[in-house]
Amino acid sequence: MPAPLTIAFLSSNLDFSYLLPAFQTQFPQARLRLGTELGPLEDIDAAVCWYPPEGLLARLPRLRLIQSVGAGIDHITADPALPEVPACRIIDPDMGQGMTAYVTWAVIQHQRHMGAYLRSAAARRWEEQPVQPPRQHRVGIAGLGTLGLACAEALLNIGYSVRGWSRTPKRNTQSELPAGLQAFHGEAGQAEFLAGCDTLVCLLPLTEDTRGILGQPLFNQLPRGAHLINVGRGAHLVEADLLAALASGQLAAATLDALTQEPLPPEHPFWADPRILITPHIATRTDPAVIARQTADNLALVDAGRAAEVAVDLQRGY
Ligand code: NAP
Ligand code: GLV
């Protein structure tokens, strides 16, 4: 009789017990192994991960699937001993909707001066702020993937002028890009893209090419007084350069959902700066049932020799 499927949940900073009911439903016959009680490592067929302990994946001889619980895969590629096993990420329309809601809120929150209205309301003052039509405000989305495209479409529907930047060229057709989206790509298209971003949204994956991209050279190419929204990863941002750009007025505000240190410690200078709005990496989440179902689908494709259809390109890094 073949050994039962064994799935391990590996994270150095998350308690994965919340995933167990969904995986029990999806894999009723499987052995599910959590964190400290992994059992024999040679039993493990699939690893469900968020920052897996460094080197651990390389010690699983039977491993045939590495499944990220998120859209990003950087927390897995960060492992210098990553074995050559298909690694998959979550691609989930609901996650796109969650991100769309967050990014739309963040754009409007700043562009329509909602912070000032909260202060006025607290002081019982009827005070108007300038009202600018959405089409006069240019939102640039760095990263036109699953999440970036969903946000672009929603912002276009509201009436914002939206542009996007990707690594490779996109055709401006209905099937690939929402109508009205101005598309730029690669290093050659970056300066023109940035010059038209009153708000810049970072929805890039964290790779060797994008680490530290949100720093002074990029900020200097934005229109003066731009708003930065980082929903990518903390390591996209050079923190000292953000503080300097805010101090000089080159940037007016920043909304940050992803930080290098999570949780951000209370003594971090970002908390004290009224121009920086921090949220605790909540822009969007994936339903555990979706993670369980995509793990099952990916495992079936790997077992059918079709891993290339779903595995992330580890050379490219996303
Ligand atoms: P995706 O589908 O892989 O899309 C990535 C996009 O970035 C693609 O358009 C890609 O260009 C572009 N890109 C990659 N490297 C680039 C470079 N060097 N220069 C220019 N463009 C580049 O990713 P996704 O599912 O949309 O997710 C994006 C990221 O969002 C994730 O990696 C994760 O870091 C972050 N995220 C955050 C949260 C949160 O709650 N804050 C939640 C989910 C995800 P091509 O189209 O040419 O390939
Ligand atoms: C969250 O940050 C994700 O990558 O899904």
Side-chain angles (χ1 to χ4, degrees):
M1 214 174 66
L5 179 74
T6 302
I7 301 175
F9 297 83
L10 308 179
S11 178
S12 50
N13 59 3
L14 262 195
D15 176 3
F16 268 150
S17 44
Y18 78 99
L19 290 178
L20 289 183
F23 274 77
Q24 274 151 1
T25 305
Q26 182 73 48
F27 298 94
Q29 315 293 340
R31 296 183 293 203
L32 305 179
R33 299 276 166 77
L34 206 56
T36 48
E37 291 166 22
L38 289 179
L41 296 186
E42 54 275 20
D43 286 354
I44 295 169
D45 298 283
V48 174
C49 300
W50 182 259
Y51 289 98
E54 206 170 286
L56 180 53
L57 292 166
R59 292 167 48 216
L60 310 179
R62 208 165 94 174
L63 189 68
R64 54 188 205 277
L65 174 71
I66 301 170
Q67 176 66 54
S68 167
V69 295
I73 202 93
D74 51 292
H75 55 99
I76 292 169
T77 54
D79 185 343
L82 189 65
E84 281 189 28
V85 169
C88 295
R89 69 193 195 97
I90 297 294
I91 301 176
D92 171 25
D94 286 352
M95 195 178 218
Q97 287 178 354
M99 185 57 81
T100 296
Y102 181 95
V103 168
T104 306
W105 159 78
V107 169
I108 294 170
Q109 193 282 138
H110 180 70
Q111 190 247 337
R112 298 301 304 269
H113 310 286
M114 293 303 167
Y117 291 123
L118 287 177
R119 287 190 294 279
S120 296
R124 303 181 180 209
R125 285 198 307 261
W126 181 276
E127 281 174 332
E128 277 193 26
Q129 300 295 330
V131 179
Q132 180 197 40
R135 94 187 123 67
Q136 287 176 15
H137 188 85
R138 299 163 299 174
V139 182
I141 301 183
L144 286 179
T146 316
L147 302 178
L149 279 176
C151 294
E153 190 152 23
L155 290 162
L156 282 163
N157 284 339
I158 294 173
Y160 285 102
S161 298
V162 185
R163 50 181 50 208
W165 182 62
S166 53
R167 193 177 57 85
T168 56
K170 309 270 167 243
R171 286 188 309 278
N172 213 344
T173 64
Q174 203 103 33
S175 58
E176 198 169 2
L177 287 182
L181 181 72
Q182 246 191 305
F184 301 83
H185 69 273
E187 273 182 44
Q190 197 195 37
E192 197 184 346
F193 164 71
L194 293 171
C197 296
D198 299 314
T199 293
L200 172 67
V201 180
C202 176
L203 263 169
L204 292 165
L206 182 63
T207 66
E208 284 320 305
D209 289 339
T210 66
R211 184 178 297 277
I213 191 169
L214 303 175
Q216 190 195 13
L218 179 146
F219 297 151
N220 287 345
Q221 296 177 70
L222 294 169
R224 191 165 174 79
H227 172 207
L228 170 70
I229 300 173
N230 187 16
V231 271
R233 288 288 184 258
H236 284 130
L237 179 67
V238 181
E239 295 191 347
D241 289 4
L242 172 62
L243 292 172
L246 289 166
S248 73
Q250 177 56 22
L251 290 183
T255 304
L256 308 177
D257 184 58
L259 283 306
T260 305
Q261 277 177 283
E262 293 184 4
L264 192 68
E267 64 278 11
H268 195 284
F270 282 179
W271 290 117
D273 192 322
R275 296 162 295 196
I276 301 179
L277 182 49
I278 306 273
T279 53
H281 205 137
I282 47 67
T284 190
R285 288 278 157 85
T286 302
D287 181 350
V290 174
I291 300 173
R293 196 169 61 241
Q294 291 198 9
T295 302
D297 293 348
N298 292 335
L299 207 44
L301 285 168
V302 166
D303 289 346
R306 295 168 55 193
E309 291 173 34
V310 281
V312 167
D313 179 343
L314 292 175
Q315 292 306 319
R316 203 177 64 164
Y318 72 101

